[in-house]
Amino acid sequence: MENGAVYSPTTEAAPGTGRGARSGLAAYFVLGRLPWHRRIPKGLQLLLSLLAFICEEVVSECGLCGGLYFFEFVSCSAFLLSLLLLIVYCTPVHDRVDTGKVKSSDFYITLGTGCVFLLASIIFVSTHSGTSAEIAAIVFGFLASSMFLLDFVVMLCEKLRESPLRKPENNAKVEALTEPLNA
């Protein structure tokens, strides 16, 4: 039996465009929509909120459990929201949604998550029992909240930098509208 007869039904001479190093789900994942100075905080938000959640889940006993439960809810929510934002930025979903709405959602979600995560970390500090898992969760919580707030400050600076560039255009349009037509 020849080798060609055995392998011909299953072997392609030239594989199609859907194959290669970036095939399957990897072909849809693109980091280029986020500049590097936004990619690093987004990745750290995701990682640190996950680590805070995992460390909090390891805690087996609690004296005052309200702070622990609030921290659990916030750390899990922060992880899921940061994952959602990364999915939107790095997949074709970003092309189907209005870019302004994505940026606005990212701005307010990042601010809200950072503030609530900071509050949950402060509450957890005041109610923890002192175990090493709780202390690790608190440290990761404060680091994650600082990454959310740092990312918010970066977005705020970008927004303020864009704002003066648009004002002269708007003023020129207003002046053009207030001038008499027959002048």
Side-chain angles (χ1 to χ4, degrees), residues 21-165:
R22 292 194 41 95
S23 64
L25 291 177
Y28 293 106
F29 195 77
V30 178
L31 288 173
R33 290 186 189 100
L34 275 175
W36 69 269
H37 66 278
R38 295 281 318 286
R39 247 183 267 162
I40 293 170
K42 289 287 181 206
L44 286 174
Q45 290 167 14
L46 186 70
L47 177 68
L48 292 171
S49 59
L50 177 64
L51 289 173
F53 179 70
I54 290 171
C55 289
E56 173 275 325
E57 285 296 318
V58 173
V59 175
S60 59
E61 296 179 16
C62 60
L64 298 170
C65 296
L68 178 71
Y69 294 151
F70 182 57
F71 187 84
E72 175 183 14
F73 170 73
V74 170
S75 61
C76 181
S77 299
F79 170 72
L80 292 174
L81 285 170
S82 60
L83 180 63
L84 174 70
L85 287 171
L86 272 176
I87 287 171
V88 168
Y89 274 118
C90 297
T91 61
V93 173
H94 188 270
D95 298 332
R96 296 182 182 171
V97 182
D98 182 26
T99 305
K101 290 181 181 178
V102 171
K103 285 184 178 182
S104 178
S105 297
D106 187 11
F107 184 79
Y108 291 113
I109 287 172
T110 303
L111 172 63
T113 304
C115 291
V116 174
F117 212 154
L118 182 62
L119 177 67
S121 298
I122 291 169
I123 291 171
F124 192 33
V125 162
S126 64
T127 62
H128 78 285
S129 302
T131 64
S132 59
E134 288 176 321
I135 292 171
I138 290 168
V139 169
F140 287 130
F142 277 115
L143 289 173
S145 64
S146 65
M147 282 298 111
F148 278 100
L149 295 173
L150 175 72
D151 192 23
F152 167 74
V153 169
V154 168
M155 285 188 286
L156 182 65
C157 290
E158 287 175 356
K159 191 178 257 193
L160 292 175
R161 206 174 314 136
E162 289 175 5
S163 182
L165 297 176

